[in-house]
């Protein structure tokens, strides 16, 4: 047999890989009990029913290649954000855009900067491009923007900035983001990853603040790309659809590294239906606000530390080995995400589910967490 190591450059050989949350089927096979999944920040109400209809309609046309530019969906998204269509690029999930940004802008000898305890795709896309990821320690469980500025050097090309952050759920206010962007050197591009924008907008309105001026920063001609996804509030994580908003000069380079036809005709049709399904999104957002409040209340009552969330999940300090807690929760039929892999050995991330799912999670926590005040 061939020695495959020989063919693979060292930066790929040394890469870690993405470890996904357990699927319901895997967890049930292991534990033998019926399970709910609160592990990957998916929409508990499923996909938009309008998107499902659109998928069924589009299915009969699968002999044709899709429109490579997803022009119709691109136009609809551009209109929504008040930008010309050439500011928008669709891709197979925002993870795919992260890869494209890294492949386009990074190389051996260059680096990207982000926060510790942030999205797990950032190290992967950086390493795949042969570059180095610098992780700056958190401040108050969120991005330390001054620390990130201090970590930028002449070889930095990208900053990955998730706002809200996954997995801590933290949020950087508009004024801080602006102050940060004003000071980022000209040779650095900021990737504003706004995967949880729909949820954050609701929390921001409730808390009397503005969520983000990301798109305006793009319009002003700053070195910013805004990433959005259909995986979270729109409930289309399995479909793989996301987009970037950036200056057309940047977009036209991104198009060159994009895999042609990677956005399927099904995805485009579903995306068009999903953005128009106001009812489904509003139901999702209402449930999320109520669920966030419920979980914070119940877990705090149990003596656990829950961070305030701006997204569709909560970060909980459980005061003991999170992997052990995850295993015990799994045997109670609840799948959550232990955060040891993020460097948070005693923390878990729990997706906000439907009210009955949140109740089941709280009941299971009362049984399995020793730190809980019972
Ligand atoms: C979920 C998530 C995404 C979305 O990834 P997709 O590839 O679009 O499914 C991007 N960034 C962060 C921070 C996320 O949590």
């Amino acid at each position: 047999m061939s020695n495959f190591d020989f063919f693979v450059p060292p930066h790929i050989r040394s890469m870690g890989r993405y470890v996904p949350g357990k699927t319901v089927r895997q967890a049930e096979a292991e534990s033998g009990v019926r399970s709910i999944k609160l592990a990957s920040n998916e929409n508990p109400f499923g996909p938009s029913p309008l998107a499902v209809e659109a998928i069924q309609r589009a299915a009969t046309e699968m002999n044709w290649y899709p429109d490579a530019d997803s022009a119709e969906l691109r136009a609809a998204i551009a209109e929504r954000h008040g930008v010309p269509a050439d500011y928008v690029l669709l891709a197979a999930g925002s993870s795919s855009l992260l890869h494209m940004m890294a492949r386009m802008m990074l190389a051996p000898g260059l680096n990207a900067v982000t926060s510790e305890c942030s999205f797990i795709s950032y190290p992967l896309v950086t390493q795949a491009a042969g570059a180095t990821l610098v992780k700056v320690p958190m401040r108050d469980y969120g991005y330390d923007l001054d620390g990130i500025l201090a970590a930028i050097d002449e070889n930095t090309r990208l900053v990955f900035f998730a706002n809200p952050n996954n997995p801590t759920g933290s949020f950087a206010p508009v004024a801080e983001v602006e102050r940060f962007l004003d000071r980022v050197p000209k040779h650095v591009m900021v990737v504003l990853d706004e995967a949880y924008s729909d949820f954050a907008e609701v929390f921001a309105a409730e808390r009397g603040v503005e969520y983000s001026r990301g798109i305006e920063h793009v319009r002003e001609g700053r070195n910013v790309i805004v990433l959005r996804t259909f995986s979270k509030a729109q409930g289309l994580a399995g479909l793989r659809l996301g987009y970037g908003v950036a200056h057309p000069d940047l977009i036209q380079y991104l198009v060159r590294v994009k895999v042609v036809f990677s956005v399927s005709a099904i995805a485009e049709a579903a995306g068009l239906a999903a953005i128009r399904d106001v009812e489904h999104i509003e139901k999702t957002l209402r449930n999320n606000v109520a669920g966030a409040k419920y979980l914070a209340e119940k877990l705090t009552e149990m003596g656990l530390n829950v961070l305030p969330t701006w997204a569709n999940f909560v970060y909980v300090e459980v005061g003991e080995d999170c992997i052990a807690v995850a295993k015990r929760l799994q045997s109670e039929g609840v799948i959550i995400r232990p955060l040891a892999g993020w460097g948070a050995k005693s923390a878990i991330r729990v997706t906000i589910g439907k009210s009955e799912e949140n109740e089941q999670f709280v009941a299971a926590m009362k049984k399995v967490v020793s730190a809980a005040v019972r």
Side-chain angles (χ1 to χ4, degrees):
M1 198 176 100
S2 187
N3 176 10
F4 293 109
D5 296 350
F6 167 79
F7 297 101
V8 179
H11 68 267
I12 302 289
R13 265 185 264 150
S14 62
M15 268 180 78
R17 61 189 189 94
Y18 186 93
V19 183
K22 276 188 188 141
T23 64
V24 171
R25 214 172 294 155
Q26 283 164 343
E28 287 179 346
E30 286 174 14
S31 65
V33 293
R34 277 199 67 103
S35 301
I36 58 168
K37 185 184 182 200
L38 302 174
S40 301
N41 307 339
E42 293 136 331
N43 189 323
F45 296 111
S48 140
L50 297 185
V52 174
E53 274 173 33
I55 288 169
Q56 283 163 344
R57 274 198 306 274
T60 57
E61 295 175 14
M62 285 306 101
N63 53 315
W64 307 110
Y65 276 105
D67 169 9
D69 296 328
S70 315
E72 215 181 321
L73 180 54
R74 193 185 196 192
I77 290 168
E79 190 189 328
R80 196 154 273 233
H81 292 306
V83 293
D86 58 358
Y87 273 71
V88 176
L89 179 64
L90 271 299
S94 44
S95 303
S96 171
L97 281 153
L98 291 169
H99 265 292
M100 286 151 67
M101 284 299 289
R103 200 178 331 161
M104 185 175 76
M105 301 198 48
L106 299 176
L110 299 177
N111 69 67
V113 180
T114 190
S115 173
E116 271 180 358
C117 209
S118 190
F119 192 39
I120 35 174
S121 287
Y122 301 155
L124 298 179
V125 302
T126 306
Q127 285 162 29
T132 313
L133 184 67
V134 178
K135 291 186 190 173
V136 174
M138 286 190 289
R139 191 172 63 191
D140 301 332
Y141 291 100
Y143 273 63
D144 176 359
L145 295 176
D146 291 330
I148 288 189
L149 284 170
I152 290 174
D153 65 21
E154 73 275 13
N155 295 319
T156 305
R157 290 294 176 275
L158 286 177
V159 169
F160 292 115
F161 182 3
N163 192 28
N165 185 36
N166 171 15
T168 59
S170 67
F171 163 75
V174 162
E176 275 180 37
V177 176
E178 281 192 343
R179 189 169 157 273
F180 169 73
L181 292 177
D182 285 343
R183 293 159 65 207
V184 169
K186 290 274 178 287
H187 65 278
V188 175
M189 187 81 199
V190 178
V191 180
L192 273 184
D193 185 345
E194 301 190 337
Y196 300 97
S197 59
D198 298 278
F199 304 106
E201 262 163 24
V202 176
F203 287 120
E206 207 184 52
R207 294 163 191 174
V209 297
E210 188 181 358
Y211 161 53
S212 165
R213 287 191 195 147
I215 307 278
E216 280 160 71
H217 298 323
V218 170
R219 258 196 246 113
E220 290 159 6
R222 298 200 196 221
N223 287 345
V224 167
I225 179 167
V226 174
L227 302 188
R228 298 276 177 99
T229 179
F230 283 79
S231 297
K232 307 287 156 61
Q234 282 69 26
L236 296 174
L239 189 80
R240 313 310 303 132
L241 186 63
Y243 62 93
V245 181
H247 192 277
D249 292 351
L250 183 82
I251 296 281
Q252 58 99 14
Y253 280 120
L254 275 172
V255 169
R256 296 177 200 197
V257 295
K258 183 181 162 184
V259 176
V260 189
F261 301 129
S262 52
V263 177
S264 71
I266 294 259
E268 187 185 7
L272 270 166
I275 54 173
R276 290 171 187 151
D277 196 344
V278 180
E279 204 179 307
H280 189 256
I281 294 180
E282 282 185 350
K283 173 178 165 187
T284 302
L285 298 178
R286 267 197 312 274
N287 175 74
N288 195 65
V289 169
K293 196 179 280 176
Y294 170 82
L295 288 175
E297 237 170 64
K298 293 294 167 187
L299 296 166
T300 307
E301 268 171 34
M302 286 166 64
L304 301 171
N305 184 23
V306 191
L307 300 186
T309 188
W310 294 79
N312 66 341
F313 54 84
V314 290
Y315 177 104
V316 191
E317 285 285 352
V318 292
E320 60 183 302
D321 176 22
C322 64
I323 296 181
V325 169
K327 282 206 181 108
R328 281 180 253 145
L329 284 171
Q330 192 183 321
S331 43
E332 297 295 323
V334 182
I335 318 163
I336 52 82
R337 201 76 147 122
L339 296 176
W342 280 256
K345 291 189 173 54
S346 60
I348 60 171
R349 188 192 67 198
V350 188
T351 304
I352 298 165
K354 294 188 231 180
S355 53
E356 59 272 25
E357 293 172 327
N358 300 334
E359 284 161 19
Q360 186 179 339
F361 162 71
V362 167
M365 282 292 275
K366 285 186 179 155
K367 267 170 110 167
V368 309
V369 174
S370 21
V373 181
R374 272 169 281 188

